[in-house]
Amino acid sequence: SQTIHQWPATLVQPVGSPLSLECTVEGTSNPNLYWYRQAAGRGLQLLFYSVGIGQISSEVPQNLSASRPQDRQFILSSKKLLLSDSGFYLCAWSVHRDNEQFFGPGTRLTVL
Amino acid sequence: DAKTTQPPSMDCAEGRAANLPCNHSTISGNEYVYWYRQIHSQGPQYIIHGLKNNETNEMASLIITEDRKSSTLILPHATLRDTAVYYCIVRVATGANNLFFGTGTRLTVIP
């Protein structure tokens, strides 16, 4: 069966510090991968998606970036965090882009 | 931007059916209706999806009106563990990767 992992589960970072969140998927090959952010009391916002290694599409201009160094690894990064980057970050995968997406447990980021 | 509207909150008695409505009046012919739910501090969980026919799985039933402008998610026998935020989403069947989540409906199952 397929599983998706995210770490860390929670993170507290000062403004201006770098960020690296990692997501890995097991039990499938060549998945579509997604990064979402959920601000408090709001719905999910798609940040990035990837259909393959090294292929990243950005949905919203951010001070964030994403990379896919391996088939089942998706990384969300920032060089300098802003207060507005606080939120719940979710990674998801799907078999094909037409299929339902399965979400990881999320990372709660607090920027102080 | 989300293309659906849902009531912000609903209550349901434990053991009764929970009927969660969703309006998607601008839905296109090639767009599916998806339902997810999110239990507090966890990632969203896929529930069900459909195009125009009613669908049923082990979790829920999805009823889509004939004009496809609205749908209802039915949890036949709600339990306390069904307390969550339920999201109704429309998405293109092909050529798209993203799910536009709105603010959803917060369902509270009452003992």
Side-chain angles (χ1 to χ4, degrees), chain A residues 45-101:
Chain A
Q45 177 186 40
L46 178 67
L47 301 175
F48 301 95
Y49 67 89
S50 171
V51 299
I53 295 175
Q55 301 178 61
I56 309 294
S57 296
S58 175
E59 287 294 302
V60 184
Q62 305 277 347
N63 69 319
L64 302 170
S65 62
S67 61
R68 187 169 176 175
Q70 300 180 43
D71 181 45
R72 289 167 288 178
Q73 184 185 31
F74 205 23
I75 297 173
L76 183 69
S77 304
S78 174
K79 293 182 180 179
K80 288 186 178 181
L81 284 169
L82 306 173
L83 287 173
S84 58
D85 290 326
S86 292
F88 191 44
Y89 287 82
L90 289 152
C91 181
W93 73 274
S94 65
V95 174
H96 301 292
R97 56 188 182 183
D98 306 339
N99 290 73
E100 60 269 24
Q101 296 178 14

Side-chain angles (χ1 to χ4, degrees), chain B residues 2-5 7 11 22 30 48 51 59 64 68 70 74 82 85-86 92-94 105:
Chain B
K3 299 173 63 176
T4 63
T5 55
D11 292 339
C22 180
N30 63 344
I48 199 168
L51 183 62
M59 289 183 67
I64 302 174
R68 303 208 323 122
S70 65
I74 301 173
D82 291 323
V85 178
Y86 287 77
V92 179
T94 60
T105 295

Side-chain angles (χ1 to χ4, degrees), chain A residues 32 34 36 38 41-44 46 49 51 59 88 90 97-106 108, chain B residues 34 36 38 40-46 49 87 91-103:
Chain A
N32 287 334
Y34 313 82
Y36 288 87
Q38 186 175 34
R42 302 183 64 180
L44 272 67
L46 178 67
Y49 67 89
V51 299
E59 287 294 302
F88 191 44
L90 289 152
R97 56 188 182 183
D98 306 339
N99 290 73
E100 60 269 24
Q101 296 178 14
F102 300 96
F103 286 81
R108 188 162 300 282
Chain B
Y34 278 75
Y36 283 77
Q38 187 174 24
H40 182 62
S41 295
Q42 297 182 22
Q45 177 189 23
Y46 166 80
H49 74 280
Y87 296 98
R91 64 175 298 217
V92 179
T94 60
N97 291 273
N98 42 354
L99 298 173
F100 292 108
F101 283 73
T103 53

Side-chain angles (χ1 to χ4, degrees), chain B residues 14-93:
Chain B
E14 186 178 16
R16 304 295 294 271
N19 298 297
L20 293 95
C22 180
N23 288 324
H24 30 80
S25 58
T26 61
I27 192 169
S28 301
N30 63 344
E31 288 183 315
Y32 283 76
V33 179
Y34 278 75
W35 283 84
Y36 283 77
R37 72 179 183 184
Q38 187 174 24
I39 297 171
H40 182 62
S41 295
Q42 297 182 22
Q45 177 189 23
Y46 166 80
I47 301 173
I48 199 168
H49 74 280
L51 183 62
K52 56 182 179 180
N53 297 322
N54 297 337
E55 302 288 344
T56 296
N57 62 20
E58 65 278 5
M59 289 183 67
S61 295
L62 174 61
I63 308 298
I64 302 174
T65 59
E66 190 170 348
D67 63 8
R68 303 208 323 122
K69 293 185 176 181
S70 65
S71 62
T72 301
L73 178 74
I74 301 173
L75 308 178
H77 305 286
T79 71
L80 297 179
R81 286 181 292 184
D82 291 323
T83 293
V85 178
Y86 287 77
Y87 296 98
C88 170
I89 301 156
V90 297
R91 64 175 298 217
V92 179

